[in-house]
């Protein structure tokens, strides 16, 4: 699939900010064998006094910006053309949980994609007894089968509710509520898999939404999205699952970044020299392009 992706983030400040520094992670990345970025651009208004583009430890595209002059709002616009062609899931060659632990012990690499980085508790996805017990019910004959079952159960058992949580909500709190958004469902699945000893990480990106039959696609109605990657052994490697929709990641999932949880790949983080609060808006368009 070939897509044109457009993102607009807009922030209004209650009082003019006298300065600020931010890190922005919204540019899609090229993922060998899965996704290729053909062209991409990122712009800011007002224009920052400083800008630096680099890759972080996990290979995510980061743009660091700084403002020195007073400003009352911030607009971030990203556009990209991306080709996505995920391989079809093949034969399940993943080991059971005991075999997975043996294969994990044999991994000596500490590269960014090494499973060891994704096994311990992290800020938003701590190891929680209640979540681990819930995940235990999904234990199946293989690591992939376990992840598939847990993904489907979260989709079935939890209600999507955009008002129930915030970006600061931890997996344990969302689990107790039994509701939340894609970020929460991903954190719950990550925490559950880690509780079983299956390395799991967070994937941020975009999701093409398909309008109801006969209805037009609404401009700006697509969304930033989150899903899960799980290390399923030496031969199966990393597999990606979307618990919000109860499915494996598909060609409609466009990757921006990988991390241990949301904290590693938040679209924007930073500090402002100001008083009062701020209001943010987000608009995303994922438009299929005829080949």
């Amino acid at each position: 699939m070939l897509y044109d992706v457009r993102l607009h983030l807009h922030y209004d400040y209650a009082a003019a900010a006298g300065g600020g520094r931010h890190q922005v992670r919204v540019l899609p990345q090229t993922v060998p064998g899965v996704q290729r970025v053909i062209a991409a651009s990122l712009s800011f208004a007002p224009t920052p006094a400083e800008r630096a583009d680099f890759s972080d430890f996990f290979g995510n595209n980061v743009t660091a910006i700084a403002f020195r002059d007073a400003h009352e709002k911030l607009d971030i616009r990203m556009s990209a053309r991306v080709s996505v062609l995920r391989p079809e899931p093949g034969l399940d060659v993943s080991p059971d949980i005991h075999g997975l632990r043996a294969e994990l012990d044999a991994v000596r690499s500490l590269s960014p994609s090494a499973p060891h980085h994704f096994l311990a508790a992290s800020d938003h996805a701590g190891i929680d007894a209640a979540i681990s017990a819930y995940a235990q019910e999904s234990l199946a004959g293989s690591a992939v089968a376990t992840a598939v079952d847990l993904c489907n159960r979260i989709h079935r058992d939890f209600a999507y509710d955009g008002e129930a949580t915030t970006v600061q909500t931890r997996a344990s709190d969302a689990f107790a509520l039994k509701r939340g958004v894609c970020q929460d469902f991903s954190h719950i699945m990550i925490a559950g898999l880690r509780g079983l000893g299956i390395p799991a990480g967070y994937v941020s990106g975009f999701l093409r939404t398909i309008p109801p039959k006969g209805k037009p696609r609404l401009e700006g109605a697509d969304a930033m999205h989150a899903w899960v990657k799980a290390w399923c052994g030496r031969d199966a490697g990393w597999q990606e699952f979307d618990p919000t929709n109860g499915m494996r990641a598909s060609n409609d999932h466009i990757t921006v970044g990988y991390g241990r949880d949301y904290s590693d790949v938040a679209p924007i983080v930073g500090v402002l020299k100001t008083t009062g609060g701020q209001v943010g808006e987000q608009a995303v368009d994922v438009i299929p392009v005829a080949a």
Side-chain angles (χ1 to χ4, degrees):
M1 293 292 297
L2 188 64
Y3 296 108
D4 281 340
V5 184
R6 295 196 296 259
L7 166 70
H8 179 205
L9 298 176
H10 175 79
Y11 298 92
D12 279 310
Y13 305 135
R21 287 186 175 273
H22 311 280
Q23 287 190 352
V24 179
R25 290 173 171 84
V26 296
L27 282 168
Q29 61 174 282
T30 292
V31 182
V34 173
Q35 174 175 298
R36 181 169 62 95
V37 177
I38 298 168
S41 65
L42 181 62
S43 63
F44 303 91
T47 302
E50 299 176 23
R51 173 173 174 165
D53 297 279
F54 61 95
S55 296
D56 65 16
F57 175 76
F58 293 114
N60 305 316
N61 295 314
V62 187
T63 299
I65 55 174
F67 297 98
R68 298 195 185 95
D69 297 330
H71 55 290
E72 297 179 346
K73 61 184 180 180
L74 173 62
D75 284 283
I76 302 171
R77 295 182 184 273
M78 187 280 297
S79 62
R81 176 162 288 190
V82 183
S83 174
V84 183
L85 184 59
R86 294 179 182 271
E88 289 291 327
L91 184 68
D92 182 0
V93 294
S94 63
D96 63 16
I97 196 67
H98 303 292
L100 184 74
R101 288 168 184 160
E103 292 188 5
L104 182 61
D105 289 342
V107 175
R108 295 291 182 261
S109 172
L110 288 177
S111 69
S113 62
H116 302 297
H117 300 299
F118 303 91
L119 191 56
S122 57
D123 185 31
H124 283 76
I127 305 298
D128 179 85
I131 298 177
S132 295
Y134 177 82
Q136 189 79 22
E137 298 175 25
S138 285
L139 268 180
S142 71
V144 167
T146 296
V148 168
D149 189 73
L150 182 58
C151 173
N152 292 337
R153 287 176 59 221
I154 291 172
H155 172 66
R156 183 183 69 237
D157 296 344
F158 291 76
Y160 191 94
D161 184 348
E163 303 298 321
T165 58
T166 70
V167 293
Q168 282 82 36
T169 301
R170 279 19 182 199
S172 56
D173 298 321
F175 182 80
L177 291 170
K178 293 294 186 287
R179 58 202 317 110
V181 295
C182 58
Q183 173 182 315
D184 304 301
F185 303 150
S186 296
H187 284 148
I188 290 168
M189 183 171 175
I190 290 167
L193 290 174
R194 290 175 181 171
L196 297 176
I198 299 175
Y202 188 95
V203 191
S204 71
F206 302 101
L207 176 66
R208 178 177 73 126
T209 54
I210 300 174
K213 189 174 182 179
K215 299 290 184 179
R217 188 190 67 82
L218 299 177
E219 185 173 353
D222 295 308
M224 289 207 74
H225 194 50
W227 59 98
V228 175
K229 68 171 188 173
W231 191 76
C232 296
R234 178 185 59 238
D235 297 321
W238 289 102
Q239 305 283 325
E240 297 185 12
F241 306 89
D242 181 350
T244 304
N245 295 295
M247 62 185 294
R248 286 176 176 260
S250 70
N251 287 336
D252 290 332
H253 292 73
I254 301 165
T255 301
V256 167
Y258 298 104
R260 293 161 296 186
D261 61 28
Y262 173 83
S263 299
D264 287 333
V265 288
I268 181 169
V269 294
V271 293
L272 284 172
K273 187 178 180 181
T274 187
T275 59
Q278 59 180 294
V279 177
E281 299 175 359
Q282 176 191 123
V284 176
D285 285 300
V286 179
I287 304 169
V289 178

